[in-house]
Coordinates of all heavy atoms in Angstrom, one line a residue:
M453 N 193.0 45.3 102.9 CA 193.4 46.4 103.9 C 193.4 47.7 103.2 O 193.9 47.9 102.1 CB 194.8 46.1 104.4 CG 195.3 47.2 105.3 SD 197.1 46.9 105.6 CE 197.2 47.1 107.3
D454 N 192.8 48.7 103.9 CA 192.7 50.1 103.3 C 193.5 51.0 104.2 O 193.0 51.4 105.3 CB 191.2 50.5 103.2 CG 191.1 51.9 102.6 OD1 192.1 52.5 102.3 OD2 189.9 52.3 102.5
K455 N 194.7 51.3 103.8 CA 195.6 52.2 104.6 C 195.0 53.6 104.8 O 195.5 54.4 105.6 CB 197.0 52.2 104.1 CG 197.7 50.9 104.2 CD 199.1 51.0 103.6 CE 199.8 49.7 103.8 NZ 201.3 49.8 103.4
F456 N 194.1 54.0 103.9 CA 193.6 55.3 103.9 C 192.2 55.4 104.5 O 191.5 56.5 104.4 CB 193.6 55.9 102.5 CG 194.9 55.9 101.9 CD1 195.3 54.9 101.0 CD2 195.9 56.8 102.2 CE1 196.6 54.8 100.4 CE2 197.1 56.8 101.7 CZ 197.5 55.8 100.8
S457 N 191.7 54.4 105.2 CA 190.3 54.4 105.7 C 190.1 55.5 106.7 O 188.9 55.9 106.9 CB 190.0 53.0 106.2 OG 190.8 52.7 107.4
D458 N 191.1 55.9 107.4 CA 190.9 57.0 108.4 C 191.0 58.4 107.9 O 190.8 59.3 108.6 CB 192.0 56.8 109.5 CG 191.8 55.6 110.4 OD1 190.6 55.1 110.4 OD2 192.8 55.0 110.9
Y459 N 191.3 58.5 106.6 CA 191.4 59.8 106.0 C 190.0 60.3 105.6 O 189.1 59.5 105.2 CB 192.3 59.8 104.7 CG 193.7 59.7 105.0 CD1 194.3 58.5 105.4 CD2 194.6 60.8 104.9 CE1 195.6 58.3 105.7 CE2 195.9 60.7 105.2 CZ 196.4 59.5 105.6 OH 197.8 59.4 105.9
P460 N 189.7 61.6 105.7 CA 188.4 62.1 105.3 C 188.2 62.0 103.8 O 189.2 62.1 103.0 CB 188.4 63.6 105.8 CG 189.8 63.9 105.8 CD 190.6 62.7 106.1
T461 N 187.0 61.8 103.4 CA 186.6 61.8 101.9 C 186.4 63.3 101.5 O 185.5 63.9 102.1 CB 185.4 61.0 101.7 OG1 185.7 59.7 102.1 CG2 185.0 61.0 100.2
S462 N 187.2 63.8 100.7 CA 187.0 65.2 100.2 C 186.8 65.2 98.7 O 186.9 64.1 98.0 CB 188.3 66.0 100.5 OG 189.4 65.5 99.7
L463 N 186.5 66.3 98.1 CA 186.2 66.4 96.7 C 187.5 66.1 95.8 O 187.4 65.7 94.7 CB 185.7 67.8 96.3 CG 184.3 68.1 96.7 CD1 183.9 69.5 96.4 CD2 183.3 67.1 96.1
T464 N 188.7 66.2 96.4 CA 189.9 65.9 95.7 C 190.4 64.4 95.9 O 191.3 64.0 95.2 CB 191.0 66.8 96.0 OG1 191.2 66.8 97.5 CG2 190.6 68.3 95.6
A465 N 189.7 63.7 96.8 CA 190.1 62.3 97.1 C 189.5 61.4 96.0 O 188.5 61.8 95.4 CB 189.6 61.9 98.4
P466 N 190.1 60.3 95.8 CA 189.5 59.3 94.8 C 188.1 58.9 95.3 O 187.8 58.9 96.5 CB 190.4 58.1 94.8 CG 191.7 58.7 95.4 CD 191.3 59.8 96.3
A467 N 187.2 58.6 94.3 CA 185.9 58.2 94.6 C 185.9 56.8 95.4 O 186.8 56.0 95.1 CB 185.1 58.0 93.3
R468 N 184.9 56.7 96.2 CA 184.8 55.5 97.0 C 183.6 54.6 96.6 O 183.6 53.4 96.9 CB 184.7 55.8 98.5 CG 185.9 56.5 99.1 CD 185.6 56.9 100.5 NE 185.6 55.7 101.4 CZ 186.4 55.6 102.4 NH1 187.2 56.6 102.8 NH2 186.4 54.5 103.1
D469 N 182.7 55.2 95.9 CA 181.5 54.5 95.5 C 181.0 55.1 94.1 O 181.5 56.1 93.7 CB 180.3 54.7 96.5 CG 180.6 54.0 97.8 OD1 180.6 52.8 97.8 OD2 180.7 54.7 98.8
G470 N 180.1 54.3 93.5 CA 179.6 54.8 92.2 C 178.4 54.0 91.8 O 178.1 52.9 92.4
A471 N 177.7 54.5 90.8 CA 176.5 53.8 90.3 C 176.3 54.2 88.9 O 176.5 55.4 88.5 CB 175.3 54.1 91.2
T472 N 175.7 53.3 88.1 CA 175.4 53.6 86.7 C 174.2 54.6 86.7 O 173.4 54.6 87.7 CB 175.0 52.4 85.9 OG1 174.0 51.7 86.5 CG2 176.2 51.5 85.7
V473 N 174.2 55.5 85.7 CA 173.1 56.5 85.7 C 172.3 56.3 84.4 O 172.8 56.1 83.3 CB 173.8 57.9 85.6 CG1 172.7 59.0 85.4 CG2 174.6 58.2 86.8
T474 N 171.0 56.3 84.6 CA 170.0 56.3 83.5 C 169.5 57.7 83.4 O 168.9 58.3 84.3 CB 168.8 55.4 83.8 OG1 169.3 54.0 84.0 CG2 167.8 55.4 82.7
P475 N 169.8 58.4 82.2 CA 169.4 59.7 82.0 C 167.8 59.9 82.2 O 167.1 59.0 81.8 CB 169.8 60.1 80.6 CG 171.0 59.2 80.4 CD 170.6 57.9 81.1
D476 N 167.5 61.0 82.9 CA 166.1 61.2 83.2 C 165.8 62.7 83.2 O 166.6 63.5 83.9 CB 165.8 60.6 84.6 CG 164.3 60.7 85.0 OD1 163.7 61.7 84.8 OD2 163.8 59.7 85.5
D477 N 164.9 63.2 82.5 CA 164.6 64.7 82.4 C 164.0 65.3 83.6 O 163.9 66.5 83.8 CB 163.8 65.0 81.2 CG 164.5 64.7 79.9 OD1 165.7 64.9 79.8 OD2 163.8 64.3 78.9
V478 N 163.4 64.4 84.5 CA 162.7 65.0 85.6 C 163.3 64.7 87.0 O 163.5 65.6 87.8 CB 161.2 64.4 85.6 CG1 160.4 64.8 86.9 CG2 160.5 64.8 84.3
N479 N 163.7 63.4 87.2 CA 164.2 63.0 88.5 C 165.7 63.3 88.7 O 166.4 63.0 87.7 CB 163.9 61.5 88.7 CG 162.4 61.2 88.8 OD1 161.7 61.8 89.5 ND2 162.0 60.3 87.9
D480 N 166.0 63.8 89.8 CA 167.4 64.0 90.1 C 168.1 62.7 90.6 O 167.4 61.7 90.9 CB 167.6 65.0 91.3 CG 167.3 66.4 90.8 OD1 167.4 66.7 89.6 OD2 167.0 67.3 91.7
L481 N 169.4 62.7 90.6 CA 170.2 61.6 91.1 C 169.9 61.5 92.6 O 169.7 62.5 93.3 CB 171.7 61.8 90.8 CG 172.1 61.9 89.3 CD1 173.5 62.3 89.2 CD2 171.8 60.6 88.6
T482 N 170.0 60.3 93.1 CA 169.7 60.1 94.5 C 170.9 60.6 95.4 O 170.6 61.0 96.6 CB 169.4 58.6 94.9 OG1 170.5 57.8 94.4 CG2 168.2 58.2 94.2
I483 N 172.1 60.6 94.9 CA 173.2 61.1 95.6 C 174.0 62.1 94.7 O 174.2 61.8 93.5 CB 174.2 60.0 96.0 CG1 173.5 59.0 97.0 CG2 175.5 60.5 96.6 CD1 174.3 57.8 97.3
L484 N 174.3 63.3 95.2 CA 175.0 64.2 94.4 C 176.5 63.8 94.2 O 177.2 63.7 95.2 CB 175.0 65.6 95.1 CG 175.5 66.8 94.3 CD1 174.6 67.1 93.1 CD2 175.6 68.0 95.2
P485 N 176.9 63.4 93.0 CA 178.2 62.9 92.7 C 179.3 64.0 92.7 O 179.0 65.1 92.6 CB 178.1 62.2 91.4 CG 177.1 63.1 90.7 CD 176.1 63.5 91.7
R486 N 180.5 63.5 92.9 CA 181.7 64.4 92.7 C 182.2 64.4 91.3 O 183.0 65.3 91.0 CB 182.8 64.0 93.7 CG 183.5 62.7 93.3 CD 184.6 62.4 94.2 NE 184.1 62.0 95.5 CZ 184.8 62.0 96.6 NH1 186.1 62.2 96.6 NH2 184.3 61.6 97.8
A487 N 181.8 63.4 90.5 CA 182.3 63.4 89.1 C 181.4 62.4 88.4 O 180.7 61.6 88.9 CB 183.8 62.9 89.1
L488 N 181.5 62.5 87.0 CA 180.8 61.6 86.1 C 181.8 60.9 85.2 O 182.7 61.6 84.7 CB 179.8 62.3 85.3 CG 178.6 63.0 86.0 CD1 177.8 63.9 85.1 CD2 177.7 62.0 86.7
Y489 N 181.6 59.7 85.0 CA 182.5 58.9 84.0 C 181.6 58.6 82.8 O 180.4 58.2 83.0 CB 183.0 57.6 84.6 CG 183.7 56.7 83.6 CD1 185.0 56.9 83.2 CD2 183.0 55.7 83.0 CE1 185.6 56.1 82.3 CE2 183.6 54.8 82.1 CZ 184.9 55.1 81.7 OH 185.5 54.3 80.8
V490 N 182.1 58.9 81.6 CA 181.4 58.6 80.4 C 182.1 57.4 79.7 O 183.2 57.5 79.3 CB 181.4 59.8 79.5 CG1 180.7 59.5 78.2 CG2 180.7 61.0 80.2
G491 N 181.4 56.3 79.5 CA 181.9 55.1 78.9 C 181.9 55.1 77.4 O 182.7 54.5 76.8
Q492 N 180.8 55.7 76.8 CA 180.7 55.7 75.4 C 180.5 57.1 74.9 O 179.7 57.9 75.5 CB 179.5 54.8 74.9 CG 179.7 53.4 75.3 CD 178.5 52.5 74.9 OE1 177.4 53.0 74.7 NE2 178.7 51.2 74.8
A493 N 181.2 57.5 73.9 CA 181.3 58.9 73.5 C 179.9 59.5 73.1 O 179.0 58.7 72.7 CB 182.2 59.0 72.3
G494 N 179.7 60.8 73.2 CA 178.5 61.5 72.8 C 178.3 62.7 73.6 O 179.2 63.2 74.3
N495 N 177.2 63.3 73.5 CA 176.8 64.5 74.2 C 176.3 64.2 75.6 O 175.6 63.1 75.7 CB 175.8 65.4 73.4 CG 176.3 65.9 72.1 OD1 177.5 66.0 71.9 ND2 175.4 66.3 71.2
L496 N 176.5 65.0 76.5 CA 176.0 64.8 77.9 C 175.3 66.1 78.4 O 176.0 67.1 78.6 CB 177.2 64.5 78.8 CG 176.8 64.0 80.2 CD1 176.1 62.7 80.2 CD2 178.1 63.8 81.1
S497 N 174.0 66.0 78.6 CA 173.2 67.1 79.0 C 173.0 66.9 80.5 O 172.3 66.0 81.0 CB 171.9 67.2 78.3 OG 171.1 68.2 78.8
V498 N 173.5 67.9 81.3 CA 173.4 67.7 82.8 C 172.8 68.9 83.4 O 172.8 70.0 82.9 CB 174.8 67.5 83.4 CG1 175.6 66.3 82.9 CG2 175.7 68.8 83.3
R499 N 172.2 68.7 84.6 CA 171.7 69.7 85.5 C 172.7 69.8 86.6 O 172.9 68.8 87.4 CB 170.3 69.3 86.0 CG 169.3 69.2 84.9 CD 167.9 68.9 85.4 NE 167.7 67.8 86.3 CZ 167.6 66.5 85.9 NH1 167.6 66.2 84.6 NH2 167.4 65.5 86.7
L500 N 173.4 70.9 86.7 CA 174.5 71.1 87.7 C 173.9 71.4 89.1 O 172.7 71.8 89.2 CB 175.4 72.2 87.3 CG 176.2 71.9 86.1 CD1 177.1 73.1 85.7 CD2 177.1 70.7 86.2
A501 N 174.6 71.1 90.2 CA 174.2 71.3 91.5 C 173.7 72.7 91.8 O 172.9 73.0 92.6 CB 175.2 70.9 92.5
G502 N 174.3 73.7 91.1 CA 174.0 75.1 91.2 C 172.7 75.5 90.5 O 172.3 76.7 90.6
G503 N 172.1 74.6 89.7 CA 170.9 74.9 89.1 C 171.0 75.1 87.6 O 170.0 75.2 86.9
Q504 N 172.2 75.2 87.0 CA 172.4 75.5 85.6 C 172.3 74.2 84.8 O 172.6 73.1 85.3 CB 173.8 76.1 85.3 CG 174.1 77.3 86.1 CD 174.7 77.0 87.5 OE1 174.8 75.9 87.9 NE2 175.1 78.0 88.2
A505 N 171.8 74.3 83.6 CA 171.7 73.2 82.6 C 172.9 73.4 81.7 O 173.1 74.5 81.1 CB 170.4 73.2 81.9
V506 N 173.7 72.4 81.4 CA 174.9 72.5 80.6 C 174.9 71.3 79.7 O 174.6 70.2 80.1 CB 176.2 72.5 81.5 CG1 177.4 72.5 80.6 CG2 176.2 73.7 82.4
L507 N 175.3 71.6 78.4 CA 175.5 70.5 77.4 C 177.0 70.4 77.1 O 177.6 71.3 76.6 CB 174.7 70.8 76.1 CG 174.9 69.8 75.0 CD1 174.3 68.4 75.4 CD2 174.3 70.3 73.7
F508 N 177.5 69.2 77.5 CA 178.9 68.9 77.1 C 178.9 68.2 75.8 O 178.3 67.1 75.7 CB 179.6 68.0 78.2 CG 179.8 68.7 79.5 CD1 178.8 68.5 80.5 CD2 180.9 69.5 79.7 CE1 179.0 69.1 81.8 CE2 181.1 70.1 81.0 CZ 180.2 69.9 82.0
Q509 N 179.4 68.8 74.8 CA 179.3 68.2 73.4 C 180.6 67.3 73.1 O 181.7 67.7 73.5 CB 179.2 69.3 72.4 CG 178.0 70.1 72.5 CD 177.8 71.2 71.4 OE1 178.8 71.4 70.6 NE2 176.7 71.8 71.3
N510 N 180.3 66.2 72.4 CA 181.4 65.4 71.9 C 182.3 64.9 73.0 O 183.5 64.9 72.9 CB 182.1 66.0 70.8 CG 181.3 66.4 69.6 OD1 180.4 65.7 69.2 ND2 181.4 67.7 69.2
V511 N 181.8 64.4 74.1 CA 182.6 63.9 75.2 C 183.2 62.6 74.8 O 182.4 61.6 74.4 CB 181.7 63.7 76.5 CG1 182.6 63.2 77.6 CG2 181.1 65.0 76.9
P512 N 184.5 62.4 74.8 CA 185.1 61.2 74.4 C 184.8 60.0 75.4 O 184.7 60.3 76.6 CB 186.6 61.5 74.3 CG 186.7 63.0 74.3 CD 185.5 63.5 75.0
A513 N 184.8 58.8 74.9 CA 184.7 57.6 75.7 C 185.9 57.6 76.7 O 187.0 58.0 76.3 CB 184.7 56.4 74.9
G514 N 185.6 57.3 77.9 CA 186.6 57.2 79.0 C 186.9 58.5 79.7 O 187.8 58.6 80.5
T515 N 186.0 59.5 79.4 CA 186.2 60.8 80.1 C 185.7 60.8 81.5 O 184.6 60.3 81.8 CB 185.5 61.9 79.3 OG1 186.1 62.0 78.0 CG2 185.6 63.2 80.0
L516 N 186.4 61.4 82.4 CA 186.0 61.7 83.8 C 185.8 63.2 83.9 O 186.7 63.9 83.8 CB 187.1 61.2 84.8 CG 186.7 61.2 86.2 CD1 185.6 60.3 86.5 CD2 187.9 60.9 87.1
L517 N 184.5 63.5 84.1 CA 184.1 64.9 84.2 C 184.0 65.3 85.7 O 183.1 64.8 86.4 CB 182.8 65.2 83.5 CG 182.8 65.1 82.0 CD1 181.4 65.2 81.5 CD2 183.7 66.3 81.4
P518 N 184.8 66.2 86.2 CA 184.7 66.6 87.6 C 183.7 67.6 87.9 O 183.9 68.8 88.2 CB 186.1 67.1 87.9 CG 186.6 67.7 86.6 CD 186.0 66.9 85.6
V519 N 182.4 67.2 87.7 CA 181.3 68.1 87.9 C 180.3 67.5 88.9 O 180.2 66.3 89.0 CB 180.5 68.3 86.5 CG1 181.4 69.0 85.5 CG2 180.0 67.1 86.0
R520 N 179.7 68.4 89.7 CA 178.6 68.1 90.6 C 177.3 68.2 89.9 O 176.7 69.3 89.9 CB 178.7 68.9 91.9 CG 180.1 69.1 92.5 CD 180.6 67.9 93.4 NE 179.6 67.3 94.2 CZ 179.4 67.6 95.5 NH1 179.9 68.6 96.0 NH2 178.5 66.9 96.2
A521 N 176.8 67.1 89.4 CA 175.6 67.1 88.6 C 174.4 66.6 89.4 O 174.5 65.5 90.0 CB 175.7 66.3 87.3
S522 N 173.3 67.3 89.5 CA 172.2 66.9 90.3 C 171.3 65.9 89.4 O 170.6 65.1 89.9 CB 171.3 68.0 90.8 OG 170.8 68.8 89.7
G523 N 171.5 66.0 88.1 CA 170.8 65.1 87.2 C 171.4 65.1 85.8 O 172.1 66.0 85.4
I524 N 171.0 64.0 85.1 CA 171.4 63.8 83.7 C 170.2 63.8 82.8 O 169.3 62.9 83.0 CB 172.2 62.5 83.5 CG1 173.3 62.4 84.5 CG2 172.7 62.4 82.1 CD1 174.4 63.4 84.4
N525 N 170.1 64.7 81.9 CA 168.9 64.8 81.0 C 168.9 63.7 80.0 O 170.0 63.5 79.4 CB 168.8 66.2 80.4 CG 168.6 67.3 81.4 OD1 167.8 67.1 82.3 ND2 169.3 68.4 81.3
A526 N 167.8 63.1 79.7 CA 167.7 62.2 78.6 C 167.7 62.9 77.3 O 168.4 62.5 76.3 CB 166.4 61.4 78.7
V527 N 167.0 64.1 77.2 CA 166.9 64.9 76.0 C 168.3 65.6 75.9 O 168.7 66.3 76.8 CB 165.8 65.9 76.0 CG1 165.9 66.9 74.8 CG2 164.4 65.2 76.0
G528 N 169.0 65.4 74.8 CA 170.3 66.0 74.5 C 171.4 65.1 74.9 O 172.6 65.4 74.5
T529 N 171.2 64.0 75.6 CA 172.3 63.1 76.0 C 172.3 61.9 75.0 O 171.4 61.2 74.8 CB 172.1 62.5 77.4 OG1 172.2 63.6 78.3 CG2 173.2 61.5 77.7
T530 N 173.5 61.8 74.3 CA 173.7 60.7 73.4 C 174.8 59.8 73.9 O 175.0 58.7 73.4 CB 174.1 61.2 72.0 OG1 175.2 62.0 72.1 CG2 172.9 62.0 71.4
A531 N 175.6 60.3 74.9 CA 176.6 59.4 75.5 C 176.0 58.3 76.3 O 174.8 58.4 76.7 CB 177.5 60.3 76.4
A532 N 176.7 57.2 76.5 CA 176.2 56.1 77.3 C 177.3 55.6 78.2 O 178.4 56.1 78.2 CB 175.7 55.0 76.3
G533 N 176.9 54.6 79.0 CA 177.8 54.1 80.0 C 178.2 55.1 81.0 O 179.4 55.1 81.5
I534 N 177.3 55.9 81.5 CA 177.5 57.0 82.4 C 177.5 56.4 83.9 O 176.6 55.7 84.2 CB 176.5 58.1 82.3 CG1 176.4 58.6 80.9 CG2 176.7 59.2 83.3 CD1 175.2 59.4 80.5
V535 N 178.5 56.8 84.6 CA 178.7 56.3 86.0 C 178.8 57.6 86.9 O 179.7 58.4 86.6 CB 179.9 55.4 86.2 CG1 180.0 55.0 87.6 CG2 179.7 54.2 85.3
A536 N 178.0 57.7 87.9 CA 178.2 58.7 88.9 C 179.1 58.2 90.0 O 179.0 57.1 90.5 CB 176.8 59.1 89.5
L537 N 180.1 59.1 90.4 CA 181.1 58.7 91.4 C 181.0 59.6 92.6 O 180.9 60.8 92.4 CB 182.5 58.8 90.8 CG 182.8 57.9 89.5 CD1 184.1 58.3 88.9 CD2 182.8 56.4 90.0
W538 N 181.1 59.0 93.8 CA 181.1 59.8 95.0 C 182.0 59.2 96.0 O 182.5 58.2 95.9 CB 179.7 60.1 95.5 CG 178.9 58.8 95.9 CD1 178.9 58.2 97.1 CD2 178.0 58.1 95.1 NE1 178.1 57.1 97.1 CE2 177.5 57.0 95.8 CE3 177.6 58.2 93.7 CZ2 176.7 56.1 95.3 CZ3 176.8 57.2 93.2 CH2 176.3 56.2 94.0

């Protein structure tokens, strides 16, 4: 039973879905996530929804990054176990 099923999904609400991400320098994610989870520590090179490229350095394992990333670059990304949440 989901007591919150009638509530709208907003950017501040907990994620309802997710998928593992394979970094790719060309192709964007199929769904624009509300956050990224990093399972194994390392650098994370992302393409943000606004068009900027950003490198998050030394992201610890277990980090939840509240960023709207259109894509995760393979070049520059050393982190693993990345999950897109929406």
Side-chain angles (χ1 to χ4, degrees):
M453 174 192 226
D454 183 357
K455 291 183 179 185
F456 302 100
S457 63
D458 292 334
Y459 287 77
T461 300
S462 69
L463 288 178
T464 58
R468 296 176 74 125
D469 291 296
T472 57
V473 174
T474 301
D476 187 313
D477 292 326
V478 177
N479 297 306
D480 285 338
L481 300 173
T482 55
I483 297 174
L484 189 65
R486 70 176 71 195
L488 298 172
Y489 172 81
V490 178
Q492 295 178 343
N495 295 340
L496 189 65
S497 176
V498 302
R499 300 184 302 278
L500 296 175
Q504 306 86 354
V506 176
L507 177 65
F508 293 96
Q509 294 183 352
N510 302 312
V511 179
T515 296
L516 186 63
L517 291 171
V519 296
R520 308 285 317 272
S522 60
I524 309 298
N525 295 316
V527 173
T529 295
T530 59
I534 304 163
V535 178
L537 300 168
W538 61 88

